[in-house]
Amino acid sequence: MRALAQQALVEDGAPVDTVLSLSVYPRRKIVRLALDSALTAGRRGAHWYSTHHALARALSRATGVTVHTYVYDPQEYEEVLAFGRGQHVGGERLCYDKVDLPECVDGEFDDAAFARMQSRWPLGHLAWVFGVERELLLQLHQMKPTRLSLQDSGPELSLEHLLHGIAA
């Protein structure tokens, strides 16, 4: 995996000091991989991820599974893209300024209607595919990550090794 990530760094033009951050939600076998650097931090980082997909393409090609990427900018948009066998195979972007919000009931915003609406947005649909709540996807980056230096020449780590102990 380190070799794939190093190749992705070069392809996407990320800095050499970029670190691979890995978070796992074991109950549903969801793995979040992120390239951490000054380029990928904050709102500007979300926009960077929207156009840099080398790691997702490489992982989908190497593992033979569909790899989903997502971008969440709470002020502007959310986007989910899917890659299979190294190719873009689907996805959707929703710009928040194009959304018609639910009507207010008795002067109160209808939170339940808004939650149902969000469940149909790109991140809501991805959460449904994974069998989790949308909020869990939005919180994956807050789970304690394993951080891997991509400059090390130590032994190669596989996803299977990192997921060791997660029941099938």
Side-chain angles (χ1 to χ4, degrees), residues 19 24-25 29 32 35 39 48 56 95 106 131 141 151 153 167:
V19 172
V24 177
Y25 181 68
K29 295 185 188 176
R32 177 187 179 270
L35 298 173
L39 261 180
W48 185 87
C95 295
D106 298 328
H141 73 282
Q151 296 175 327
S153 58

Side-chain angles (χ1 to χ4, degrees), residues 2 22 41 57 69 82 90 92 107 143 146 159 167:
R2 184 178 286 122
L22 178 130
R57 283 193 312 272
T69 68
E92 181 181 10
M143 292 180 181
T146 299
L159 279 178

